Each structure stands twice: as C-alpha cells, then as structure tokens.
C-alpha cells in the first residue's frame, strides 16, 4: 500500500492571493501623518478670523497670534520651562508609583479568584470617587507639601492599569494555559511564559490610559497650595483675568500628554511586534 502511495503524482495547487504572505506594514506615510494636522490648523484659522471680525470676544478668547506671543514670552524668561519641569516630575513620580502598585496588585488578584473576590469590590468603590473629592482628605492627612500631590496622581494612575491587567489575565486563551500545563509548566513558568504575555496588550492600554489620567489628576493635585506647575499657571491666569495664560497652560498640557502617549505607543509597537493583528497591517 505504501509503495502504491509513493508513486502517486504529487498534485500542485496554485497559491491563492488571499493567503499569500503580505509584507510587513511600513507604517503611515509622511503625508498621512500630516492629515492629522488638518483639523487643528482649520480651527486655528477660523479662531483667528472670528476674533479679528469681532465674532468672538478677544478678552475671553484671545486670538492664536496673541497666545503665540504669550508663549514666546514665557519661554524666553524661562518660567514656562520651570512649570513644565515641576509638573512633569510630579507626573512621572506619581504615575510610576501608581502603575507599579497596580501591576503588583493586578497580577495577584488576576491570578487568584479568592483575592479578587475579597478586594475587587473595594477597589471598584474607590475608583468611582472623583479626583477633587480626595483633595481635602489628602490635605488633612499629608499637609500641603509634595506628598498629597504625588498621592493624588498615583491614585489616578492606579485604577486603569489595575483593571486592564486583571482583564488581560482573565481573557488569556484557555487553550494556551492547558497546553502549558500539558508540557509540565509550573505556576511561575505558566505566568511568565503564557499569562503575562497574553495580558501585555491589555496592560499597555491600561498604562496609556493611566498616564493620560495622571496628567488630568495633575491639575487637581496642583490646586493643593502649589506655587509652581502648569496647574498653578491655570489658577494664576484665572485669578488675574488672563485668558491667554489659561489657554497656554491647556495647550502645553495637551502637547505633553500627546508626547508621552506617542512614546508609549512606540514602545508598545516595539515590544508587541510579535502580534499578528488587524492593526499591524
């Protein structure tokens, strides 16, 4: 029987174009990236024109040309760089503490149903507390130094990272876990080689969300007797009636948030290049 099979002609089937290997995506082109500037540039032109023709009050909404002058003056005397440095340091420390604790707690609760049943309801209740509601309590506990500011930012970073990591572990493919157990992987090896890699996409989503919330919580944190920082610049502009200062602070926060998120996206693409997903085409 084997001899008869060996002499059978080998059929050759044409390769379907749908299943041919596609080259790796080169990423968006330069012109595709420029498309993202179309909307903000259009808004800036409309904004400048609306102020010039008195459609919008220049006192309440200064034109972009005046905001650029204010930004240039703040950069020239170095005050803006000082505010950026102080705020960035607070965000980095608070985010590092909050995200680090969230990874530890999320891994423990994601791997233990008993711990999750014990602690998760409490975390869900704490997550629903608005950021400003923490301010008076942190002032009572920690005074007006840097500690309450860092703590508030850490609270903002903790919950999205924790939730994403737990969800990522729970959504790991059961078949992969069963294959790992069949090959005799112990608990630590199972976590290191299967569960954590499977949870990495969700974890990066949580980290990006946590970093964005850290910048948001920064403003609330710098309402706690701050004398420097972008949140202080917002308050100073409001108290002195200078809308240009407020808008400069808002734009700076937006640019810093976009820059930090872009760095995390680049890191995510590098570390998760092994994924074969729709977004990688």
């Amino acid at each position: 029987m084997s001899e008869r099979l060996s002499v059978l002609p080998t059929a050759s089937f044409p390769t379907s174009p749908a299943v041919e290997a596609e080259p790796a995506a080169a990423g968006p082109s330069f012109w595709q990236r420029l498309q993202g500037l179309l909307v903000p540039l259009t808004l800036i032109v409309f904004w400048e024109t609306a102020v010039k023709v008195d459609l919008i009050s220049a006192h309440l909404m200064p034109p972009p040309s005046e905001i650029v002058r204010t930004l240039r003056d703040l950069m020239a005397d170095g005050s803006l760089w000082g505010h950026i440095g102080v705020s960035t340091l607070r965000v980095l420390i608070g985010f590092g503490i909050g995200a680090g604790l969230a990874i530890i707690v999320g891994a423990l609760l994601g791997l233990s149903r008993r711990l999750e049943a014990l602690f998760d309801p409490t975390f869900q209740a704490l997550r629903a507390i608005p950021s400003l509601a923490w301010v008076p309590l942190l002032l009572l506990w920690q005074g007006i130094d840097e500690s309450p500011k860092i703590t508030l930012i850490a609270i903002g970073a903790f919950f999205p990272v924790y939730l994403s990591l737990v969800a990522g572990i729970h959504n790991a493919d059961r078949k992969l876990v069963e294959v790992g157990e069949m090959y005799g992987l112990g608990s630590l090896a199972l976590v290191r080689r299967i569960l954590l890699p499977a949870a990495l996409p969700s974890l990066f989503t949580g980290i990006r969300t946590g970093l964005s919330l850290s910048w948001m919580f920064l403003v609330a944190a710098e309402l706690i007797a701050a004398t420097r920082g972008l949140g202080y610049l917002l308050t100073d502009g409001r108290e002195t009636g200078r809308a240009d200062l407020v808008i400069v602070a808002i734009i700076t926060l937006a640019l810093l948030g976009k820059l930090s998120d872009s760095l995390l996206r680049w890191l995510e693409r590098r570390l998760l290049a092994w994924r074969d997903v729709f977004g990688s085409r």
Side-chain angles (χ1 to χ4, degrees), residues 81-119:
W81 299 115
H83 292 308
I84 290 175
V86 171
S87 293
T88 302
L89 183 61
R90 286 169 177 161
V91 168
L92 289 178
I93 296 175
F95 172 75
I97 294 173
L101 289 174
I103 291 174
I104 296 173
V105 175
L108 291 175
L109 270 63
L111 297 171
S112 173
R113 295 289 185 178
R114 182 176 299 178
L115 289 176
E116 183 181 6
L118 184 62
F119 290 103

Side-chain angles (χ1 to χ4, degrees), residues 25-35 265 269 279 281:
S29 66
F30 175 75
W31 296 109
Q32 288 174 328
R33 291 192 180 97
L34 283 182
Q35 291 177 3
R265 288 186 64 185
R269 287 195 297 268
R281 295 197 308 172

Side-chain angles (χ1 to χ4, degrees), residues 81-278:
W81 299 115
H83 292 308
I84 290 175
V86 171
S87 293
T88 302
L89 183 61
R90 286 169 177 161
V91 168
L92 289 178
I93 296 175
F95 172 75
I97 294 173
L101 289 174
I103 291 174
I104 296 173
V105 175
L108 291 175
L109 270 63
L111 297 171
S112 173
R113 295 289 185 178
R114 182 176 299 178
L115 289 176
E116 183 181 6
L118 184 62
F119 290 103
D120 187 68
T122 302
F123 288 150
Q124 296 301 332
L126 293 175
R127 184 172 66 93
I129 299 176
S131 59
L132 289 177
W134 290 101
V135 173
L137 188 61
L138 293 176
L139 284 174
L140 290 173
W141 285 352
Q142 299 178 319
I144 60 174
D145 202 0
E146 288 295 307
S147 298
K149 302 176 181 62
I150 300 299
T151 302
L152 186 60
I153 296 172
I155 292 173
F158 176 87
F159 292 106
V161 178
Y162 158 75
L163 289 174
S164 298
L165 180 56
V166 172
I169 293 175
H170 287 175
N171 291 329
D173 193 339
R174 184 189 296 272
K175 299 182 182 65
L176 295 177
V177 177
E178 293 174 351
V179 169
E181 292 174 345
M182 288 174 56
Y183 277 88
L185 294 181
S187 299
L188 292 179
L190 201 63
V191 170
R192 181 175 58 87
R193 300 184 62 179
I194 294 179
L195 292 177
L196 288 184
L200 275 180
S202 297
L203 177 59
F204 265 101
T205 300
I207 288 176
R208 289 176 58 189
T209 305
L211 185 57
S212 298
L213 282 178
S214 295
W215 287 108
M216 297 179 190
F217 274 58
L218 170 73
V219 177
E222 290 182 339
L223 295 176
I224 308 177
T227 57
R228 297 189 71 187
L230 294 173
Y232 167 77
L233 191 62
L234 281 169
T235 304
D236 185 52
R238 176 182 59 81
E239 292 179 349
T240 57
R242 292 191 57 184
D244 55 334
L245 278 181
V246 175
I247 295 175
V248 164
I250 292 173
I251 293 175
T252 305
L253 284 168
L255 292 176
L256 289 173
K258 172 58 178 174
L259 176 61
S260 58
D261 184 71
S262 297
L263 290 175
L264 281 179
R265 288 186 64 185
W266 174 83
L267 182 62
E268 180 182 8
R269 287 195 297 268
R270 292 292 300 272
L271 294 180
L272 302 181
W274 49 267
R275 294 186 303 166
D276 184 17
V277 294
F278 176 78

